[in-house]
Amino acid sequence: MAQTVLITGGSRGIGAACVRTFAENGWNTAFTYSKSREAADRLADETGALALRADQQDTAAVELAVAEGKARFGTIDAVVCNAGIAEQKLFQNITDADWMRMLDVNLMGTVRTIRAVLPEMLHNHKGSIVTVSSMWGECGASCESHYSASKAAIIGLSKSLAQELGPSNIRVNCIAPGVIDTDMNAMHSADTMQELADQTPLGRVGAAAEVADSILYLCSDKSSFITGQVLGVTGGF
Ligand code: NAD
């Protein structure tokens, strides 16, 4: 029987690549989006996935999206906490409001999503949760202290939940992408992107589909004895 996945922030970038990859591999696929209804509808038409509007700063909206996904497909076997924001600012220019927004979207959005799917996974005594951190969450990044801190927190959350939920047969793993060619990196100039590619042992930036393949692996039963891990998809950076 096909398994069901819920992917947050699925209308573009790594999330959209996940929607395509899971759908191509026979998964029942639901995804959330916050603003771009047109892009979400197009992707739903293209893949047969279910598009659900949910801003992950809104607990009730996240809970409703999970309920709608479950109502459509019967259960939720895996969740990909992908949605996130980034921003470049000098540390001394990052305001309290900037910090709170970054942590609320990236960390608390992940928390809200996991909390909403957990009762179903506990009931099934099975589930796979994949969070999305960043290599900057592991090694830090100049002018991205609030982003890096939010991504480091996601690693701590994931490792803690892997321990807490292991006895319930729920696996929790984290993906830490390197530099991936998506809209998130539009803030970087072409020169900066080239510099980042040059610093990458594989000599290029990554494609969203390459991250999606690793996420599919961690969600699937092919990784059934893997939990509490952070998988870098970085080209060796
Ligand atoms: P992106 O900006 O293209 O996509 C981010 C997605 O998150 C979008 O669909 C957006 O609508 C959604 N989102 C943002 N705020 C939201 C909210 N409040 N509620 C619901 N959805 C919201 O970027 P991407 O590169 O595809 O990033 C996906 C994830 O990968 C992010 O968590 C990002 O931090 C992480 N990441 C990206 C890179 C990279 O180089 N692109 C590297 C490391 C980690």
Side-chain angles (χ1 to χ4, degrees):
M1 207 174 83
Q3 295 201 78
T4 298
V5 64
L6 176 73
I7 299 157
T8 66
S11 64
R12 69 182 209 193
I14 292 168
C18 286
V19 171
R20 292 193 177 91
T21 299
F22 278 85
E24 280 163 12
N25 281 275
W27 285 64
N28 297 323
T29 305
F31 67 95
T32 65
Y33 66 97
S34 56
K35 288 192 187 102
S36 177
R37 169 139 202 199
E38 235 176 75
D41 284 348
R42 267 201 311 276
L43 187 62
D45 284 348
E46 176 196 325
T47 58
L50 175 65
L52 301 163
R53 182 165 207 144
D55 187 319
Q56 66 178 10
Q57 290 186 271
D58 179 344
T59 301
V62 172
E63 286 171 353
L64 185 61
V66 168
E68 285 175 347
K70 189 176 161 239
R72 165 71 81 89
F73 296 121
T75 191
I76 294 180
D77 301 287
V79 67
V80 181
C81 303
N82 162 76
I85 54 171
E87 184 182 46
Q88 286 215 306
K89 268 189 181 178
L90 285 172
F91 174 72
Q92 61 265 36
N93 294 338
I94 304 174
T95 64
D96 281 10
D98 294 332
W99 272 101
M100 296 317 288
R101 179 164 176 264
M102 187 64 72
L103 292 170
D104 195 52
V105 175
N106 290 359
L107 175 61
M108 287 310 299
T110 300
V111 168
R112 290 181 186 105
T113 303
I114 295 173
R115 211 168 41 199
V117 295
L118 204 50
E120 179 67 5
M121 291 182 173
L122 288 169
H123 177 262
N124 294 343
H125 199 71
K126 187 175 192 294
S128 178
I129 296 167
V130 175
T131 58
V132 178
S133 177
S134 162
M135 67 175 177
W136 306 128
E138 294 187 286
C139 64
S142 173
C143 296
E144 295 193 46
S145 54
H146 55 343
Y147 176 75
S148 299
S150 74
K151 292 297 183 177
I154 287 173
I155 293 175
L157 171 73
S158 308
K159 291 192 171 202
S160 301
L161 288 181
Q163 293 184 33
E164 190 170 322
L165 300 176
S168 302
N169 196 31
I170 297 168
R171 298 184 298 110
V172 187
N173 290 291
C174 181
I175 287 278
V179 185
I180 309 300
D181 185 15
T182 69
D183 291 340
M184 187 169 273
N185 283 316
M187 61 184 162
H188 296 307
S189 68
D191 282 353
T192 302
M193 288 302 278
Q194 188 55 52
E195 274 168 32
L196 290 166
D198 291 343
Q199 287 173 54
T200 304
L202 287 182
R204 62 177 176 85
V205 303
E210 294 177 292
V211 182
D213 283 339
S214 297
I215 291 176
L216 175 67
Y217 169 67
L218 288 176
C219 283
S220 78
D221 294 338
K222 299 259 186 221
S223 60
S224 51
F225 202 49
I226 298 178
T227 193
Q229 302 304 304
V230 181
L231 177 60
V233 185
T234 64
F237 198 114

